[in-house]
């Protein structure tokens, strides 16, 4: 430790902001000596460690900024439980080619069928590929836009949204908006057309979107843009939540009826 070279090296690594190399160089140097490794191999190992932590930190930051409500990965999605969802299409969406092509994706289906889970899983995979993603609910986004509008900073909010590679808008259709709210949402969707991707989840079939966007003309214009280059996945079947709670109930009932059967 008292070696002046070692102290200078530590100071340099600190100044150059290489914290992983600072933490690991001693240990890696000992290993390199033991293996009689070339200088270049040691340097490579050391820089690899720094690059690996930086990559991991960048991914963690992207996931934080994306603001997913819960972290749900695609590998916990049971495709056999929701056979209407084509697994290959979902895995393809997770590979991100559609983001480069500025395409959109719509997940349509009733409550509890796995729309939010899939949207989150795809979003997480894209964060890991270095994409800038943000998850919002439709209601949350409209509130944010309305507040920005009232505080005369709508342009800034729109510019921030515009920098995202993917905007995930969850739960479109659960609430309808005021005319001005619907217009603001329309503006965001229309701005992204052929420039940036959108992933929308909705419990409403397209034919009923007029109730959210108030007015056939705005709805038609919006759907025209949104679905022009779009993967549309329709999720059918029973709610996964409902099925799980029914199963839990059945297990409970089976457990409570067992002892009485045993008495007989
Ligand atoms: P939706 O957004 O369509 O209402 P969610 O994605 O919130 O539904 O799903 C409800 C719950 O059921 C969540 O906890 C989700 O993780 C789970 N779930 C739904 N479908 C599946 C599935 N096929 N495999 C595993 N979990 C699922
Ligand atoms: Mg949901």
């Amino acid at each position: 430790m008292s070696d002046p070279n070692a102290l200078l090296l530590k100071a340099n690594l600190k100044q150059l902001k290489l914290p992983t190399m600072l933490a690991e160089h001693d240990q890696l140097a000992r290993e390199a000596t033991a293996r009689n490794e070339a200088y270049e191999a040691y340097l490579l190992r050391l820089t690899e460690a720094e690059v690996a932590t930086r990559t991991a930190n960048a991914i963690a930051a992207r996931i934080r900024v994306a603001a997913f409500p819960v972290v749900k990965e695609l590998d916990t999605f049971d495709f056999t439980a929701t056979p209407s969802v084509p697994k290959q299409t979902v895995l393809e969406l997770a590979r991100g080619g559609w983001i480069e092509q500025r395409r959109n994706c719509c997940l349509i289906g009733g409550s509890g069928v796995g729309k939010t889970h899939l949207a989150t899983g795809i979003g997480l995979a894209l964060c890991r590929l270095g994409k800038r993603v943000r998850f919002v609910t439709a209601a949350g986004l409209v509130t944010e836009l309305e507040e920005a509008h009232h505080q005369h900073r709508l342009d800034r909010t729109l510019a921030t949204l515009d920098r995202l590679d993917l905007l995930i808008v969850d739960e479109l259709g659960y609430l309808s908006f005021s005319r001005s709210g619907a217009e603001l949402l329309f503006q965001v969707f229309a701005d992204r057309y052929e420039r940036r991707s959108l992933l929308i989840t909705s419990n409403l079939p397209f034919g009923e979107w007029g109730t959210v966007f108030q007015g056939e003309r705005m709805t038609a214009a919006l759907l025209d843009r949104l679905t022009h280059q779009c993967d549309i996945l329709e999720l059918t079947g029973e709610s996964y939540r409902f099925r799980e709670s029914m199963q839990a109930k059945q297990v409970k009932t089976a457990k409570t009826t067992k002892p009485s059967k045993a008495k007989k």
Side-chain angles (χ1 to χ4, degrees):
M1 234 326 140
S2 54
D3 178 1
N5 281 345
L7 289 175
L8 279 172
L9 175 60
K10 282 188 195 312
N12 285 351
L13 291 173
K14 240 184 219 163
Q15 194 182 338
L16 292 169
K17 297 194 171 45
L18 298 165
T20 309
M21 286 173 67
L22 178 66
E24 309 248 327
H25 76 276
D26 263 348
Q27 171 72 17
L28 288 179
R30 274 195 296 276
E31 287 171 15
T33 311
R35 278 198 229 114
N36 210 5
E37 217 165 41
Y39 296 125
E40 287 83 356
Y42 167 62
L43 191 57
L44 176 64
R45 226 176 277 285
L46 205 51
T47 49
E48 266 173 357
E50 186 68 47
V51 169
T53 34
R54 278 198 196 186
T55 309
N57 289 346
I59 289 171
R62 250 178 256 122
I63 291 174
R64 236 186 353 263
V65 170
F68 297 105
V70 277
V71 173
K72 295 247 172 180
E73 303 282 357
L74 287 181
D75 61 11
T76 59
F77 191 84
D78 178 3
F79 284 90
T80 59
T82 318
S84 60
V85 179
K87 184 175 179 179
Q88 285 316 316
T89 309
V90 173
L91 297 183
E92 193 56 43
L93 289 167
R95 279 194 281 273
W98 62 296
I99 305 290
E100 261 105 68
Q101 296 157 14
R102 284 104 172 92
R103 291 171 59 86
N104 299 322
C105 175
C106 290
L107 306 179
I108 313 285
S111 175
V113 291
K115 300 181 299 296
T116 302
H117 189 145
L118 283 176
T120 307
I122 292 167
L124 282 166
L126 296 173
C127 285
R128 294 197 182 95
L129 291 175
K131 307 290 180 212
R132 285 156 304 187
V133 177
R134 198 170 150 217
F135 185 107
V136 282
T137 61
L141 179 59
V142 167
T143 306
E144 188 178 327
L145 293 167
E146 280 178 328
E147 274 175 15
H149 182 58
H150 290 139
Q151 292 164 9
H152 308 288
R153 52 176 178 79
L154 183 62
D155 284 351
R156 236 183 308 153
T157 302
L158 291 174
T160 312
L161 291 171
D162 202 50
R163 281 195 286 275
L164 298 167
D165 297 307
L166 174 65
L167 179 63
I168 300 175
V169 182
D170 197 27
E171 295 185 354
L172 189 82
Y174 279 108
L175 299 169
S176 55
F177 310 112
S178 65
R179 177 86 197 169
S180 65
E183 275 167 9
L184 287 166
L185 197 59
F186 177 85
Q187 191 180 343
V188 172
F189 285 13
D191 276 357
R192 297 184 79 81
Y193 176 60
E194 291 194 324
R195 296 179 45 252
R196 301 265 185 216
S197 295
L198 272 168
L199 192 163
I200 313 277
T201 86
S202 179
N203 58 320
L204 294 181
F206 291 131
E208 291 173 35
W209 280 30
T211 55
V212 179
F213 283 98
Q214 306 186 16
E216 294 304 314
R217 276 206 9 236
M218 189 151 67
T219 310
L222 179 105
L223 282 175
D224 193 38
R225 288 170 177 79
L226 183 68
T227 58
H228 174 213
Q229 303 272 357
C230 189
D231 282 303
I232 300 163
L233 272 64
E234 283 178 59
L235 287 75
T236 54
E238 250 184 17
S239 157
Y240 190 87
R241 269 189 290 253
F242 180 71
R243 253 184 294 168
E244 268 201 331
S245 55
M246 287 311 283
Q247 271 167 12
K249 262 188 204 145
Q250 275 164 9
V251 171
K252 239 184 174 173
T253 325
K255 271 186 188 159
T256 48
T257 51
K258 247 184 199 163
S260 60
K261 270 184 190 165
K263 266 183 213 164
K264 277 183 191 171

